[in-house]
Amino acid sequence: MEQLKTIGRELAMGSQGGFGQSKEFLELVKSIGEARSKAEEDRIVLREIETLKRRIVEPDIAKRKMKEYIIRLLYVEMLGHDASFGYIHAVKMTHDDNLLSKRTGYLAVTLFLNDDHDLIILIVNTIQKDLKSDNYLVVCAALNAVCRLINEETIPAVLPSVVDLLAHPKDAVRKKAVMALHRFHHKSPYSVSHLIDNFRRKLCDNDPGVMGATLCPLFDLIAVDPTSYKDLVVSFVSILKQVAEHRLPKSYDYHQMPAPFIQTDKESQIKLLKILAVLGSGDKQASEHMYTVIGEIIRKGDSSSNIGNAILYECICCVSSIYPNVKLLEAAADVIARFLKSDSHNLKYMGIDALGRLIKISPHVAEQHQLAVIDCLEDPDDTLKRKTFELLYKMTKSSNVEVIVDRMIDYMISISDDHYKTYIASRCVELAEQFAPSNHWFIQTMNKVFEHAGDLVNIKVAHNLMRLIGEGFGEDAAAADSQLRSSAVESYLHIIGEPKLPSMFLQVICWVLGEYGTADGKYSASYITGKLCDIAEAYSNDETVKAYAISALTKIYAFEIAAGRKVDMLPECQSFVEELLASHSTDLQQRAYELQALIGLDARAVETIMPQDASCEDIEVDKNLAFLHGYVQQSLERGALPYIPEDERTGMVNVSNFRSQDQHESAQHGLRFEAYEVPKPPIPSKVAPVSLSSSTDLVPVPETLYSRETHQISSVRSSSEAGSSELKLKLDGVQKKWGKPTYSSSTSSSTNSTSQNPVNGVTQMDVAAAVNSRVRDNYDTREPRVEISPEKQKLAASLFGGSTKTEKRSSTSNKVPRASVSAPDRSQESKAAVALNEVAREKTNQSSPPPDLLDLDESTVTVVPASVDPFKQLEGLLDTSISSTTNHNSSGESNAPDIMTLYAETSASRESGSDGYSIPVIGDNVNLLSELSIAAVRGTTGETTVTPLSQSVKGPNAKDSLQRDAKVRQMGVTPTSQNPNLFSDLLG
Amino acid sequence: MINFVLLISRQGKVRLTKWYSPYSQKERNKVIRELSGVVLTRAPKLCNFVEWRGHKVVYKRYASLYFCMCIDEDDNELEVLEIIHHFVEILDRYFGSVCELDLIFNFHKAYYILDELLIAGELQESSKKTVARLIAAQDSLVETAKEEASSLSNIIAQATK
């Protein structure tokens, strides 16, 4: 290693001072490095170009000099300037016999030329010769050039030599040959179609590097046509298995070094997983082969390293692509949870992406990550945000569309990147069209999209919007229709005032104002026409808008006349019409003349021409021209030839057929006018209900979530509605965000169940104040979450919850003043609390016998669960003394004053909270005792339980740092951290 | 596949560019300008990926140098991040704790290394040792290989005389 390093250094130094670079070049690099501005840099480079142009054509340049010129050309080109005058010299250099020059030449041409450059033809011959060279380094250089420069036309010239090289003794050459063939396949699949078997064969190459390289072309081939490679599934799986277990076959041993290619393993694993994902997609039989090995990889996956996570992510992609398997899906969900909980933005990003993939198969996965997703959505990192929008887009339902689209629009307004703005606008429109809960909402949303994304939206969207307003809800909802229309008119009149509206939006506005501006009688015709003229004037260079405006004017006047009112045109309208009468655009002119003619007619005629609200009436066309029957009959009798339809005459397809088909199709693409999907009732949660000892009023409490999610339970209880547990926040999948970890699980089972209850909020504080400081600490750590959650909770509920009803319900229950809660309700609650305690007791009794140390009669000992919670553990350690003393008191039943006062205070405060609220004494006693006993248990078992736990917490960190340390020592530098050694002596 | 590799200094100066997909000189300049605007302005601790015109750009900062690689939509970002790191480690090994100066003055060496690491936009060799061996062979064996070749041709020339 050291040797290598010194060799490298010496070589580098050698090149710096020795053969290649003259002082001149070093000066150039230096001066560019010191350049203060781009302009200065450009000046230097231009001067350099002039020098090179002059020098490079001089006769008899020494090879070494020439090489340096070429490198200087590279430098110039790299800085973004044109060095094409020197290309030919680089090409010439590839012909050189001197290997160093040849290599420089190849490097230069691969960097200078694309595969469509004219000079390529001059290189092909050299490449052909070099591919046959007996020096493998020359062959390598030539293959590099082949990958870059050979185009479709020149492939046949080098193909035979490249195929021959697949059998080259050097693995580096074989690998490059495979990659070259891969490249050929990219450029022209037909040229290598007869060589596909070679790829299959190379899969068994005894060098893993070559095997890995073969996966690239195979992946491409399989992606195009998976069916013909199904036979390889088994071999891929077995390779993957060997790779994953670092157990490459003997033949993969390289120079008797056992498995030196750990890194290669990882890379090939990713490719193999990608291939399997394609092969297993929708194929149950093929997928079944993969389950074990994928499961194994996920299980063993090391999430401490970057590449380990890359593999895990690839596993998820694979799992979500192949035929679903419950176990694998669960494993994948676990990995996602780990990603999302991570502090690294990269992992969060990958987690969100993976979630988006998995959600297609098992939609419920997202629920446990609600808060994490919302955190990502609110993250300042744009990349993460966009990825999250992608996820939201995938999980949009009719129940959460409003929140999601609102968010998207907000974000759309905030960004300036047109590319992404168009994208997200189309997403919004798509979602709104698909899931809109109401027409009103749809119109409002469209308004916003139009207003902010403007002309980036597809014109079809505007047409859909007009159609929706025009058609409304249908025949039987006239009232709702007119309400919708007037609200649209209202909103448009409001919006008109804004400066610089996009043209498309103005068209919609004009149309709606024309059709419905005066329909409800709220606005007078002169007001609306005035507004329309304002629009036309403000956007006078937009002809389409003007056309829409004049048509709208026509309609309004027509409606006025039809209603029997006298029309007096505003002067500005008059001048507008006059202007259009003389317009260069025939379209505008015609519209203006139509308007003029219409005004002159009487009411009846106008009504027939422009009936009110008839934009959506079908225009009846009498295709048979029945009124002409008599005339036709007469003619026939007189001996005229009968009419033969055109299509019969010419054999053409019926045109009308075409049209009707067309219409049908367009209807399919447009808005959905049938009823929207009713929000589905939430899927019942998987958790099994706990058998309750006393109370039957209780809803099933999810057993597994019980201890950690008391607040959930309480809210369930308060709403006392079965099944709603699904709609609440689940906090267990979420990274503990607000500093200190919170619920001490069963400890808080009693206290929490009251404290977390939104109705009991105030009491909780009282209790907290009364109980000793340790408990208070508990509350303190817990508080931030309680404070922050409602907002996020609401968002989460609206995003993931399924129905907006929950949101409302929870908010009302939050608002309910304490006094208004009826007594029976309360007692029920308290009963429930007791019941919960009993459940807890029962559970703990079952799970572990109470320690003999503590002689508690009401043995309400709960086990400290193995929650990874260093703070709690610490607390437990610190409180040993306190809790043990108090425990003595209580166990001895020696009427300990402090406890009693505590108890009294608690109960008093509770009683003061609500009249007629009888506290079951035992229940409260239990609460207190359990609180204490837990502390005690923690105190006694503290030393034993804490140590392993804390180790397990610190474990990965320590390992991490060890690894890093090792790596540092290995390479003498850590590029990951700000190492002072690294890059310390740089320029500027 | 990787569409291009860019090395940009913190001041926005280009240190190395390698294009695996065809881009004209004009496009190249535009890409560099746009990307350095996007990448250099990103705060630390954000994720190392940027979605950019239907592609993804994976970047990582090492001291004052940003290593960027542009990949396709369906590529694995973390893997590319690893490739970047891998490249840096090889450079580090080759130059012996590499610094920006090494890359500035020996950018063609960096190109050679990159050519051994990536080919046609795909990773071809993920073993650091193999790359190091190949590069060392190229650097030092070039001369001897040349001698061998010439001696061989001498022999042939003599034999055919």
Side-chain angles (χ1 to χ4, degrees), chain A residues 336 340 350-359 365-366 369 373 391:
Chain A
I336 290 177
L340 287 176
M350 298 311 264
I352 294 279
D353 186 86
L355 195 56
R357 287 169 190 270
L358 207 61
I359 214 167
V365 190
H369 303 301
V373 170
L391 172 68

Side-chain angles (χ1 to χ4, degrees), chain A residues 322-631:
Chain A
I322 62 176
Y323 192 87
N325 171 294
V326 181
K327 261 193 189 157
L328 283 183
L329 287 176
E330 275 171 18
D334 287 347
V335 176
I336 290 177
R338 238 185 296 155
F339 280 176
L340 287 176
K341 273 184 223 166
S342 147
D343 277 335
S344 150
H345 273 73
N346 288 347
L347 288 188
K348 275 189 193 166
Y349 175 90
M350 298 311 264
I352 294 279
D353 186 86
L355 195 56
R357 287 169 190 270
L358 207 61
I359 214 167
K360 282 183 219 150
I361 304 174
S362 47
H364 63 271
V365 190
E367 279 158 27
Q368 53 175 312
H369 303 301
Q370 296 175 10
L371 279 192
V373 170
I374 289 165
D375 280 343
C376 290
L377 197 60
E378 281 161 7
D379 201 276
D381 189 344
D382 251 8
T383 313
L384 197 53
K385 213 179 245 181
R386 289 179 185 187
K387 200 77 202 170
T388 315
F389 276 122
E390 196 73 7
L391 172 68
L392 290 183
Y393 168 76
K394 281 179 192 155
M395 51 182 262
T396 307
K397 295 176 284 198
S398 49
S399 55
N400 55 15
V401 63
E402 292 176 63
V403 193
I404 290 178
V405 171
D406 278 356
R407 286 251 155 189
M408 282 186 174
I409 290 175
D410 284 349
Y411 182 63
M412 187 182 80
I413 295 168
S414 72
I415 56 173
S416 55
D417 168 11
D418 263 4
H419 189 266
Y420 194 70
K421 213 170 191 171
T422 317
Y423 177 75
I424 200 164
S426 68
R427 283 272 152 109
C428 284
V429 170
E430 196 182 320
L431 289 179
E433 287 187 351
Q434 223 177 335
F435 297 110
S438 71
N439 289 350
H440 180 76
W441 179 84
F442 180 76
I443 289 171
Q444 293 300 328
T445 309
M446 286 300 111
N447 286 355
K448 274 192 232 158
V449 173
F450 277 123
E451 207 179 326
H452 299 288
D455 297 320
L456 301 172
V457 210
N458 191 334
I459 184 81
K460 228 163 138 193
V461 177
H463 295 161
N464 275 339
L465 180 59
M466 288 191 255
R467 191 160 144 217
L468 177 82
I469 297 175
E471 292 190 354
F473 298 97
E475 301 294 316
D476 46 339
D481 279 359
S482 61
Q483 200 189 349
L484 172 81
R485 286 163 194 163
S486 39
S487 78
V489 169
E490 193 100 22
S491 66
Y492 290 149
L493 285 175
H494 187 70
I495 289 171
I496 281 177
E498 314 251 329
K500 281 200 186 161
L501 291 171
S503 155
M504 205 187 300
F505 191 33
L506 286 167
Q507 293 165 22
V508 177
I509 291 176
C510 286
W511 186 84
V512 171
L513 289 184
E515 284 284 336
Y516 306 109
T518 55
D520 61 350
K522 195 169 164 190
Y523 298 101
S524 71
S526 62
Y527 179 74
I528 299 287
T529 49
K531 285 283 178 193
L532 284 169
C533 287
D534 289 348
I535 294 178
E537 201 180 333
Y539 301 89
S540 56
N541 43 13
D542 188 337
E543 290 205 345
T544 329
V545 171
K546 275 205 271 190
Y548 269 92
I550 186 105
S551 296
L553 283 180
T554 316
K555 280 182 217 159
I556 287 172
Y557 289 132
F559 299 154
E560 285 296 291
I561 295 167
R565 284 188 286 267
K566 202 175 154 294
V567 176
D568 29 275
M569 225 187 248
L570 294 173
E572 62 216 70
C573 297
Q574 199 74 50
S575 61
F576 174 53
V577 173
E578 269 160 27
E579 179 206 322
L580 291 195
L581 283 174
S583 167
H584 288 301
S585 154
T586 46
D587 178 53
L588 291 181
Q589 217 174 25
Q590 189 186 346
R591 284 171 200 263
Y593 275 110
E594 277 172 9
L595 169 61
Q596 228 177 16
L598 194 98
I599 288 175
L601 295 171
D602 66 14
R604 256 194 57 230
V606 170
E607 202 168 5
T608 0
I609 300 169
M610 280 276 179
Q612 185 135 21
D613 188 21
S615 59
C616 301
E617 311 271 294
D618 292 328
I619 298 168
E620 279 181 38
V621 179
D622 186 357
K623 280 187 198 158
N624 297 325
L625 305 177
F627 58 94
L628 286 175
H629 277 335
Y631 177 76

Side-chain angles (χ1 to χ4, degrees), chain A residues 245 291-303 312 315 328 331-332 335 338:
Chain A
E245 291 168 2
Y291 290 154
T292 340
V293 66
I294 296 174
E296 197 67 5
I297 294 175
I298 295 182
R299 201 174 56 76
K300 282 191 185 160
D302 114 81
S303 49
L312 283 175
C315 282
L328 283 183
V335 176
R338 238 185 296 155

Side-chain angles (χ1 to χ4, degrees), chain A residues 131 135-144 147 162 165-180 202 205-211 213-214 254-255 261, chain B residues 115-119 123-127 129-135 137-138:
Chain A
L131 285 177
N135 185 340
Y136 79 99
L137 293 172
V138 175
V139 180
C140 280
L143 278 173
N144 273 346
C147 287
V162 174
L165 289 175
L166 286 177
H168 198 275
K170 282 278 181 191
D171 57 296
V173 175
R174 289 203 301 274
K175 210 161 46 192
K176 283 192 160 79
V178 170
M179 295 308 287
K202 278 290 131 190
D205 195 282
N206 48 17
D207 178 71
V210 181
M211 186 270 293
T214 319
Y254 188 83
H255 292 278
F261 295 104
Chain B
D115 274 345
E116 290 309 318
L117 186 68
L118 300 173
I119 192 166
L123 183 77
Q124 61 161 334
E125 182 53 72
S126 49
S127 155
K129 274 191 190 135
T130 313
V131 174
R133 206 170 43 230
L134 271 170
I135 295 290
Q138 286 175 8

Side-chain angles (χ1 to χ4, degrees), chain A residues 19-87:
Chain A
F19 59 90
Q21 291 139 320
S22 65
K23 198 149 182 244
E24 226 177 342
F25 179 55
L26 295 181
E27 287 295 317
L28 168 74
V29 174
K30 229 181 196 166
S31 60
I32 284 179
E34 285 159 0
R36 290 260 162 265
S37 66
K38 183 81 183 143
E40 193 182 338
E41 186 187 304
D42 285 348
R43 241 188 346 267
I44 297 170
V45 173
L46 287 177
R47 209 168 52 222
E48 170 71 9
I49 287 177
E50 285 311 310
T51 328
L52 283 174
K53 262 188 189 164
R54 223 174 35 246
R55 294 266 186 87
I56 214 162
V57 289
E58 282 171 6
D60 299 331
I61 309 172
K63 274 181 184 166
R64 179 192 289 176
K65 257 277 180 270
M66 192 65 194
K67 215 166 62 217
E68 194 200 298
Y69 289 153
I70 296 292
I71 288 175
R72 279 157 77 171
L73 279 178
L74 277 183
Y75 194 64
V76 166
E77 179 110 344
M78 196 171 80
L79 293 175
H81 293 265
D82 180 47
S84 53
F85 64 89
Y87 289 177

